[in-house]
Amino acid sequence: MNDTTWWARLNNRALELIIGLGLLLVAFADVLIPLVAIAGPASGSHDVRAVHVRATTEIPDAAASGFDRGPVSVSGTDHAVLNIADPDLIERVLLLLPTLTRGVLVVVMLLAVLHLAQTFQVRDFFAARNTRRLRVIAVTLFLIGAVVPALDVITTHLLVSGHDVQSTVWTPYDLKVGVVFLALLVGGASEAFRRGTRLHADTEGLV
């Protein structure tokens, strides 16, 4: 019995460690690095974005366009790359906003999952706070699946607006159906937990 308890505790600690490491990794890669890139001149992978184009092309930005945003070009076929040479602050925000938003949402979700796992460790499955945590997870999943892709469409449109490549770039809205469906499942689970919490409280009141 003691061995089982020891093994269960080890599994719980390992789960918390994995979630914590994932949280730190996402916070560093998708929150801290984008914030640093926005704060200072960015280069390399932060100057480009994957886009769709209607034909094979590479079009430099016209200097007389009236939009002081630096050279903008697109190269590739169908799945192409939008290149922003020497992006200014606004362009860096637009380039990194979808990644940053997704990173913040994933961090919030993982924090809720971590607290949820901690209550499971002490066998307090129907803690009242777990209903709220499941709702937070459901909302963040929905935002990741539905809102972040919309941000990608909007920011891409703003990046190419007023440039020669505007008519070339095609930005479809890529709804993450699987993530949205998972959000609905977690939302349903939160309702089940809410009813379980109420039943648990009523049962304790009878004892």
Side-chain angles (χ1 to χ4, degrees):
M1 183 68 178
N2 291 334
D3 292 340
T4 302
T5 303
W6 174 84
W7 180 250
R9 289 177 179 176
L10 180 62
N11 284 338
N12 290 330
R13 295 300 182 186
L15 177 61
E16 290 180 12
L17 179 61
I18 292 172
I19 296 173
L21 288 175
L23 194 156
L24 291 175
L25 181 61
V26 172
F28 178 77
D30 289 345
V31 178
L32 181 59
I33 290 180
L35 285 175
V36 171
I38 290 173
S43 61
S45 61
H46 298 300
D47 296 350
V48 299
R49 171 175 293 183
V51 295
H52 291 74
V53 294
R54 296 184 175 87
T56 303
T57 183
E58 182 168 346
I59 307 173
D61 178 56
S65 63
F67 290 82
D68 186 16
R69 291 185 175 180
V72 177
S73 64
V74 175
S75 59
T77 305
D78 189 20
H79 297 282
V81 174
L82 176 68
N83 303 283
I84 309 292
D86 191 22
D88 59 23
L89 176 61
I90 294 177
E91 286 178 328
R92 291 198 296 271
V93 171
L94 292 176
L95 280 166
L96 294 168
L97 185 60
T99 299
L100 182 60
T101 303
R102 182 176 58 248
V104 171
L105 290 172
V106 172
V107 167
V108 172
M109 182 184 67
L110 288 178
L111 281 172
V113 172
L114 181 60
H115 291 309
L116 197 66
Q118 289 172 343
T119 60
F120 286 1
Q121 179 181 346
V122 295
R123 306 297 181 185
D124 192 10
F125 301 107
F126 292 107
R129 290 171 294 181
N130 283 347
T131 300
R132 183 176 67 252
R133 289 163 181 161
L134 284 171
R135 288 174 179 169
V136 168
I137 294 171
V139 170
T140 53
L141 283 171
F142 178 80
L143 293 176
I144 291 170
V147 175
V148 173
L151 276 179
D152 187 64
V153 173
I154 294 169
T155 54
T156 299
H157 174 74
L158 292 174
L159 284 167
V160 301
S161 179
H163 297 286
D164 289 346
V165 300
Q166 182 175 2
S167 61
T168 303
V169 173
W170 171 57
T171 311
Y173 175 63
D174 184 19
L175 176 68
K176 307 298 181 184
V177 178
V179 178
V180 172
F181 181 69
L182 181 59
L184 295 176
L185 290 179
V186 176
S190 70
E191 178 62 20
F193 264 73
R194 185 185 68 82
R195 295 182 180 182
T197 300
R198 180 181 299 177
L199 180 61
H200 182 67
D202 293 342
T203 303
E204 284 189 337
L206 295 175
V207 176

